[in-house]
Amino acid sequence: MISNYIKIIWRTMLRNKLYTLLNVVGLALGILSASLIYLYVSHELSYDRFHKDSDHLFRIDIQAKLGEKEINSAQVPAPAGPYYVAQRSEILNACRFKSNGRSIIQIEEKAFTEPISFFADSTVFTLFNFPLIDGDPESALAAPNTAVISETLAKKYFGSTPAIGKMFKLDNDKLFRITAIMKDLPSNTTVQCNLFLSMAGDEDSKLPNWGSMNYSTFIQTRPGTDITALQSSITDLFIKNFGEVLQKYLNTTWEDFVQKGNYARLSLIPVKNIHLYSKADDEMSPAGNILYVYIFSIVGLLILALACINFINLTTARAAKRAKEVGVRKVSGAQTSSLIYHFMGEGFLSGALAWILAMLATLLVLPMFN
C-alpha cells in the first residue's frame, strides 16, 4: 500500500521534472552549505577537548609593561613550570615546549626539512592525550638527545623499517635517538607538531633565568582548585624571582619598577579556550576566533532558513498552478485528506532526495574543504 502510494507520488514528480529539479537542488545546496559550516564550527569548538584532563589543563600566560613596551605573551621563563610544581600543591604536573623552528633532519645520506619541531618535557604524554604506537610514554623523552616522531614521519624517513632506536642528526649538530612513535596529532589541538625533542638536552631550560621568556608552559591542577587564587599566588612567586633579576641586572627594586608605571602578572588560560579565546603573542599554532564561529553559525542558520523558505515558496506556487489537477482528482472521487497526504508526500520525498543529494555532495567536497 505504502509502496504504491510512493510510486504515485514519484510519477507525479517526474511529470514535473523542472519544478522537482529546482526544488530538490535548491534545498540540497542549502543543506550542503549548512553542513559544511556545521563541520567547521564543530571542529573549531572541539579544540583540545579530547584530553582526559582537559578541564584541569591550563597554559601560563604573562601580561606585562616594560617601559614603553606592552607584553601579552603565551611564553614564560624556563624555570616557571618546574618551580611552580615544587612550590604549589595545587599543581600536579607541568610541561614546557620550546620551538626549534624549521629543522633539518639528516638520516645517513638523506636530508629532510621539517617546518616545526618542539623541545618538550617528558611529561608531555602525561598531560596530553597523544597516544604512542610504540614506546613508553613515561620514559620516551626522559633522556637527553632522544626524540619522538609521528607515524607519518616514521614512514617518510624509514618506510616499513622499524624506526625505534634509529638515529638522526638535527641541524647538522646533535645526534638524536628515536625512542617512540606517536599517532599523528589531530588537527584540533593547539600543539601541532610531528617531532618532539627531549627538553633534557636543552641546556637553556635548566638555567634559573627568570628574565628570558621562551617557553610555552602548561600545568595540570588538582580538581577543585581555585584558579583565581592560584593565578595570584604564581604571580607573587614570579614577582619574587623577577625582582631579583631587576636588582641584579638593572639595579632597581620591584617597587621602583612599579612606580615607573611598569607591571607584570601571570594568568591561567584553560587549554580548551586557547584556540578561540587567546589573544596572546607567541602561540604554538595559528589561533582561531570565537567571533568567526558566531558569524558562521548565524550564516549557516540563515542559509538553511532561506533554502527552506525557497522550498516552501516553490511548493506553494506550484500547488496554486495545480488547481486543475486537484479539480480532476476531486471529480474522480479523491477525498480532501488523500490530496493533503499526496502533496505532503511530495514535499517529504523532495526533502529526502535533497538531503541525500546534499550528503553525497558533502562527502565529495569534504577532502577539499578539509
Side-chain angles (χ1 to χ4, degrees):
M1 179 69 179
I2 295 177
S3 60
N4 290 333
Y5 186 64
I6 294 175
K7 287 179 182 178
I8 294 171
I9 294 174
W10 182 247
R11 283 198 294 267
T12 304
M13 292 172 63
L14 289 178
R15 284 199 298 269
N16 302 279
K17 295 184 183 68
L18 181 60
Y19 153 76
T20 301
L21 183 64
L22 288 174
N23 225 4
V24 170
V25 172
L27 184 58
L29 288 175
I31 296 174
L32 170 63
S33 301
S35 298
L36 293 177
I37 290 174
Y38 168 77
L39 291 174
Y40 163 76
V41 169
S42 61
H43 180 267
E44 290 292 287
L45 294 174
S46 70
Y47 260 73
D48 291 308
R49 294 178 181 272
F50 60 89
H51 302 300
K52 60 183 179 182
D53 289 317
S54 60
D55 291 334
H56 307 120
L57 292 180
F58 299 85
R59 187 184 68 197
I60 305 176
D61 289 2
I62 184 168
Q63 295 79 44
K65 182 176 184 295
L66 306 176
E68 299 299 320
K69 187 177 182 181
E70 296 275 354
I71 295 174
N72 182 18
S73 178
Q75 296 180 346
V76 294
Y83 179 77
Y84 291 143
V85 172
Q87 294 292 321
R88 303 302 307 181
S89 61
E90 308 99 309
I91 301 176
L92 295 174
N93 222 328
C95 180
R96 299 168 298 171
F97 296 94
K98 179 185 177 184
S99 175
N100 191 56
R102 192 177 183 87
S103 304
I104 304 297
I105 307 298
Q106 289 179 284
I107 301 173
E108 296 178 349
E109 301 300 321
K110 298 180 180 180
F112 304 89
T113 301
E114 296 303 327
I116 187 68
S117 60
F118 286 105
F119 286 96
D121 284 319
S122 60
T123 53
V124 59
F125 300 110
T126 302
L127 268 69
F128 301 96
N129 273 30
F130 298 149
L132 296 185
I133 298 173
D134 196 2
D136 180 12
E138 294 186 3
S139 62
L141 293 174
N145 295 68
T146 55
V148 175
I149 64 175
S150 69
E151 186 178 12
T152 295
L153 287 193
K155 292 178 180 177
K156 175 182 175 181
Y157 294 165
F158 305 104
S160 58
T161 305
I164 297 292
K166 298 290 186 179
M167 305 292 291
F168 67 84
K169 184 178 285 187
L170 178 70
D171 298 330
N172 297 312
D173 188 11
K174 293 183 179 179
L175 280 173
F176 282 79
R177 179 171 57 88
I178 299 171
T179 54
I181 309 297
M182 64 181 175
K183 287 186 178 180
D184 291 342
L185 300 188
S187 60
N188 58 340
T189 179
T190 302
V191 184
Q192 289 294 331
C193 182
N194 285 321
L195 172 61
F196 288 131
L197 307 167
S198 173
M199 187 73 76
D202 177 39
E203 295 303 322
D204 289 340
S205 68
K206 304 172 186 177
L207 300 176
N209 184 0
W210 286 87
S212 178
M213 302 173 191
N214 297 314
Y215 294 79
S216 299
T217 302
F218 295 80
I219 62 171
Q220 178 188 6
T221 62
R222 293 184 186 277
T225 297
D226 185 336
I227 300 303
T228 302
L230 182 59
Q231 284 183 155
S232 178
S233 64
I234 64 174
T235 295
D236 291 342
L237 290 170
F238 172 79
I239 290 172
K240 172 187 173 183
N241 289 279
F242 187 65
E244 295 176 359
V245 174
L246 293 175
Q247 188 68 50
K248 181 177 180 180
Y249 294 100
L250 299 180
N251 196 28
T252 185
T253 64
W254 173 256
E255 289 73 19
D256 292 338
F257 180 74
V258 172
Q259 284 180 0
K260 294 178 182 178
N262 301 304
Y263 65 85
R265 62 176 177 268
L266 301 183
S267 60
L268 297 176
I269 179 169
V271 70
K272 296 186 296 185
N273 293 348
I274 291 175
H275 180 67
L276 291 177
Y277 295 95
S278 175
K279 304 299 181 185
D281 298 324
D282 309 311
E283 293 284 356
M284 296 180 69
S285 61
N289 193 320
I290 189 62
L291 180 62
Y292 295 153
V293 172
Y294 291 144
I295 292 173
F296 276 101
S297 297
I298 294 171
V299 169
L301 291 173
L302 287 175
I303 290 174
L304 189 58
L306 289 173
C308 292
I309 292 171
N310 180 66
F311 180 83
I312 294 170
N313 286 340
L314 286 174
T315 302
T316 304
R318 184 62 187 172
K321 294 180 180 180
R322 293 171 66 181
K324 183 177 180 180
E325 176 188 340
V326 172
V328 173
R329 286 176 178 269
K330 282 190 173 183
V331 170
S332 302
Q335 296 180 353
T336 302
S337 59
S338 67
L339 291 173
I340 292 174
Y341 292 146
H342 181 87
F343 280 101
M344 289 182 64
E346 285 188 25
F348 281 121
L349 187 56
S350 297
L353 289 174
W355 184 84
I356 293 171
L357 184 62
M359 293 302 102
L360 291 174
T362 301
L363 291 175
L364 289 174
V365 303
L366 194 56
M368 292 180 288
F369 182 74
N370 285 335

